[in-house]
Amino acid sequence: MLYKNVWKTLAGKWMQLLAIAVIIVMSSLTYTMMFYGISGIEVPTEEYLASSNQEDFAVEMLNRVTEEEAAAPELAAFLASGKYTLADLKQADAEAFDDLMVARLDAVERELGDVTLELRSTKLFNYTFDDREHRGLVVKDADAINLSYLESGRRPSSDDEVAINTKSAEKNGIKIGDTIDLGEPFTVTGFVLFPDYTLPLFDDNFFNLDPGTQTLLLMTDSAYEAMNGNESFRLAGVTDGTVVTDVELPFVISVMETENIMRSGAIYSEISSGKAMALGLSLFIVSIAVIIVGILISNMLESERGQIGLLKAIGYSRRQIATPYLMLILAFATIMLIAGYFLGLYFADPLKDLYLDFYLLPSITIAQSPFVFLTAVFAPLLFFALVAGAVIYKLMGESALALLSPRDNLSLNRLSRFVSRLLRNARGKTKFKYLYAVKSTGSFIIFFLGILFSTLLIVFALMMNGAVDRMTVGEIGEADYAYEAFTTTQPELRDGQEPFLTYPFAFVEDKLVTLKGLDEANTLYRLEDENGDRLSPEADSIIVSASLALKLGLETGDTLDIELDDEMLSYPIREIADEYMGDTIYLSRTSLSDQLTDGETDKLFNGIYATERPDETDYATILSRDSLIDQSTSINEYMNLMMNVMIAGSALIAFSILFVLTALTVEKNYYVISLLKVMGYDRREVRSMILNSYFMYALVSALLSIPIALIVLRVIIVVFAEDYGLVLPLEFEWVYVVYTLGAVTLLFFASTFVSRRKIDQIPLQEVLKTYQE
C-alpha cells in the first residue's frame, strides 16, 4: 500500500520528474561520451607514439646562418652572395650545410648532456587538386626519432611514389594506387602518420587545420631532395632525464618539451583535460540534479506531513515509511543514468571521429569498460542515495505529534534578511514578491548556478564569433590582392604587383618575430587597427600585430627594441594592427631593406601581392588568397558546432532547473495563491507576485554572471598564451549583454509557461479547504 501511494504521488509530478530526468541523463551521457570518445584515441595513440619513438623535446633553431657561424670562410663567402637561409646553403654547398648541422648538433648536445638528437627536415609546398589549392608538408623519413607509421599500404620505394594522411585521402576520395599531381605525378602507396605532427600544423597559424586541403607526405629521400618547396629544419631529441630548456646558443630559438608543443603535445592536453572536464561537468550536472531531487522530496514529504504522522501514530516505523520513497527515487535515477550511459556510448563514436577530423592519429573500436559504467551510473547513484536518504531521515525523525501539527513558520535566512533590508521602503506587495523567491537558500543557489552556467557558455559563444576568422584569415579577408608569391630573386615588377620584404629571424625580448616591410603606398594588403582605420608603415616607426602586443603587453607609444643580426634597433610603436595570424612587426620596406643590406639598397623584396597569378618561373611559391580563406572553413564549422552544442546543453539544463523550481514553487504555494485570489488580486498580479520575482532574479543573476564569465575566459586566454603561445582574440561588445539577457528572458518565460497556467487553474476554494483542514 505504501509503495502504491508513493508511486501515485510521484506520478502526479511527472512533468517535474521529466525535467529532472533530462539533467540526470545529461550527466551520465556527458561523462560516458567524453570518456569513451577520448579513450578511443588514447589507447592506440600511446602505443603508436611509443613504437614510433616520439621526440621528448624539440630544439627550434634559426633557419639562417648566424654571425658567429659566418666566421668560417666558406660561410662568409656564402653570406656575401646575398643569401642567408639554411635552405639556400644546402642548395649552394651541401657539404658546408652538413658540416654546419654537425656543429650545431654537437653544440646542443654539450649544453643538454645525455640526450640523443636528430635533424628533422621538412618542405612545405602548394599544389592543386580538383581545382582547389592544397598544402603539403613533406617530412623526410627519420632514422631513430619520430619514425613514420603506416596505417595501411606500404612505404614509397621509388621516386614517383608517395604516402599521405588517411583523413586527407578520405576527404578527397583518394585511394591507394591512385595518382595525384604534386607538380609531377605520384602514385599513392599508403597512408602515413608522423608522431611529431599529431596536429597538421605547418606554420605559426595554429588554426589552419583543414585536413581536406592539407596533408603530410612521405617520399623517398631522393624525391624529397628534388621536391621544390620551402625547406626548414629543427632538432628532435629524446632523453631519459630531465629536459633542459634554458639553452644559450646563438642559433637556438627555444627548447620545448613535447607536452608544450602545439603540433605534437596538444593531444596530451586534450586527453588529460578532456577526461577531467568530462568528470567535472558530469559531477556539476549531477550535483544540480541531486539537489533538485532533494528539494522535490523535501517538498513532497512536507505536503504529506499529516499522512506520515498518521502512519507513525498507528505503528509504522521510520524505515517502513521511508523505504518506498527512497527505493522509487533511486529506481527512477538508476533508469535515467543507465539511459544516459547508453546514449553516451552511442555518441562516443561521433565524438571520436570529430577529434580525428583534426588530430592525425590511429583509432580503435570503442570497447565498453565496467569502470566507466560504474562511474557513470553508480557514483551519481550514491550521491542520490545519500542526499535523498538524508532528507527523508531528517523528516521521518520527527515525532508523530510534530508531524500531525502544523509547522511553525521558519525564521528568515540570511539571504531573506538581506533582501528584506534592501526592500525596507518598498510596498508590501513588492516585499512579498521578492522575499518569497528567496525563502529557500538551497533552491536559490541552484537557480543562480543554472543561470551562471548558461550565461558563461552564451558569453563565450558570442565572444568566439569571428575569433576563428581573425586567427586564420585576419587581414586577408579584407585584402585586395588575389595572390601572394615568394621569390629568391629580384624579378621585374609588373602592373598589379606590389612588393614586400619579410625577415622571420628577428628577436624581441628573446622572442622570435617576423619583420615585414611594406611600401607606404601599398594598397593591396589592407592593414587596419581595431576601429577599421587604414594603417600604413612609416620610415621612423613601426606597427605591431595585436597578437604580439597581447603577449608582450605592448601599447601605442612604447619604444620597442628589436635584435637584428646582433644589432639592436629601437622604434616607437605608432599603431597596433588588428592582426592575430602571427607575431609580426610592420615597418617601411625601404628601412628594412636598408638594414638587411647594410645600406647597399633600399629596394630589396622577397615577395609580392598580385591581382593576377604571377609567373611560376619567377616565384617558387604562390599562394592563392581564396584558398587560404577556404582553409579556415573546416575549423570554423568545427568551432560553430562546438559552440552550438555548448549553448544547447546549457540552455537545456537552465530550462530544466527553472521549470522544476518554478513548478515546485507553485505546488508549495497553492494556499497562498488561492488566498491572493480571494483577496482580490487578478491572475496577472498573482503570476507576477509568485513567479516574476524569479524573472528579476534571473536577470540580476545573468548580469552578475557576465563579469564572472569574463574573468574565467581571461584565465583561459592567459593559459593558452603562456603554455602554447596562442592568443585567442575573444572580443566582448556591450551589445552582448543585451543578447545574453534576451536569451535568459526567453529561457525563463519558456520554462515557466506551464507554471503560469497552473496558477490560473488554482481555485479560490483552495484556501477554504485548507482552512477547514
Side-chain angles (χ1 to χ4, degrees), residues 301-302 305 308 391-398 403 407:
L301 294 179
E302 283 291 339
R305 286 175 57 86
I308 295 170
V391 172
I392 295 171
Y393 181 84
K394 180 181 179 182
L395 188 64
M396 298 300 177
E398 296 185 44
L403 289 168
R407 180 182 287 277

Side-chain angles (χ1 to χ4, degrees), residues 358-375:
F358 297 98
Y359 287 100
L360 304 179
L361 297 166
S363 68
I364 58 173
T365 302
I366 291 174
Q368 296 190 57
S369 165
F371 170 77
V372 178
F373 181 81
L374 292 173
T375 305

Side-chain angles (χ1 to χ4, degrees), residues 267-315:
I267 185 59
Y268 294 108
S269 176
E270 193 72 60
I271 289 172
S272 60
S273 64
K275 286 189 172 182
M277 185 184 297
L279 186 59
L281 279 175
S282 177
L283 288 175
F284 174 76
I285 296 170
V286 82
S287 298
I288 292 175
V290 166
I291 296 174
I292 292 179
V293 167
I295 293 171
L296 174 66
I297 294 174
S298 177
N299 290 343
M300 188 171 67
L301 294 179
E302 283 291 339
S303 66
E304 297 182 350
R305 286 175 57 86
Q307 298 178 43
I308 295 170
L310 183 60
L311 289 172
K312 294 193 76 172
I314 62 178

Side-chain angles (χ1 to χ4, degrees), residues 64 84 204 484 486 500-509 511-518 525 527 537 541-545 548 552 554 560-571 582-597 604-607 609:
R64 67 169 176 83
Y84 54 85
D204 292 334
E484 181 180 5
F486 296 87
F500 63 82
L501 177 61
T502 59
Y503 185 78
F505 307 120
F507 285 90
V508 174
E509 297 181 13
K511 182 177 184 58
L512 187 68
V513 300
T514 297
L515 301 182
K516 189 164 189 175
L518 299 174
Y525 186 77
L527 201 60
S541 61
I542 58 174
I543 300 169
V544 301
S545 64
L548 182 61
L552 300 181
L554 304 176
L560 193 63
D561 295 327
I562 305 171
E563 185 181 344
L564 180 64
D565 292 339
D566 296 329
E567 183 180 357
M568 192 65 71
L569 308 175
S570 295
Y571 288 97
D583 299 328
T584 309
I585 298 174
Y586 298 91
L587 65 165
S588 166
R589 181 172 68 91
T590 56
S591 298
L592 182 57
S593 175
D594 187 67
Q595 289 291 339
L596 293 179
T597 62
L604 185 66
F605 68 93
N606 55 14
Y609 297 113

Side-chain angles (χ1 to χ4, degrees), residues 419-474:
V419 175
S420 179
R421 284 195 294 269
L422 292 178
L423 300 174
R424 60 180 177 272
N425 296 323
R427 294 182 302 166
K429 177 181 174 181
T430 303
K431 287 183 178 181
F432 173 88
K433 177 178 177 179
Y434 290 106
L435 282 172
Y436 225 82
V438 295
K439 278 181 63 178
S440 171
T441 304
S443 296
F444 190 81
I445 289 174
I446 293 299
F447 169 84
F448 177 78
L449 288 177
I451 298 299
L452 171 64
F453 186 65
S454 297
T455 302
L456 176 63
L457 293 185
I458 291 169
V459 170
F460 182 55
L462 290 172
M463 291 177 67
M464 279 298 296
N465 181 40
V468 175
D469 281 335
R470 289 191 289 274
M471 287 184 286
T472 57
V473 178

Side-chain angles (χ1 to χ4, degrees), residues 370-387:
F371 170 77
V372 178
F373 181 81
L374 292 173
T375 305
V377 176
F378 288 102
L381 198 61
L382 178 61
F383 279 112
F384 274 101
L386 291 175
V387 173

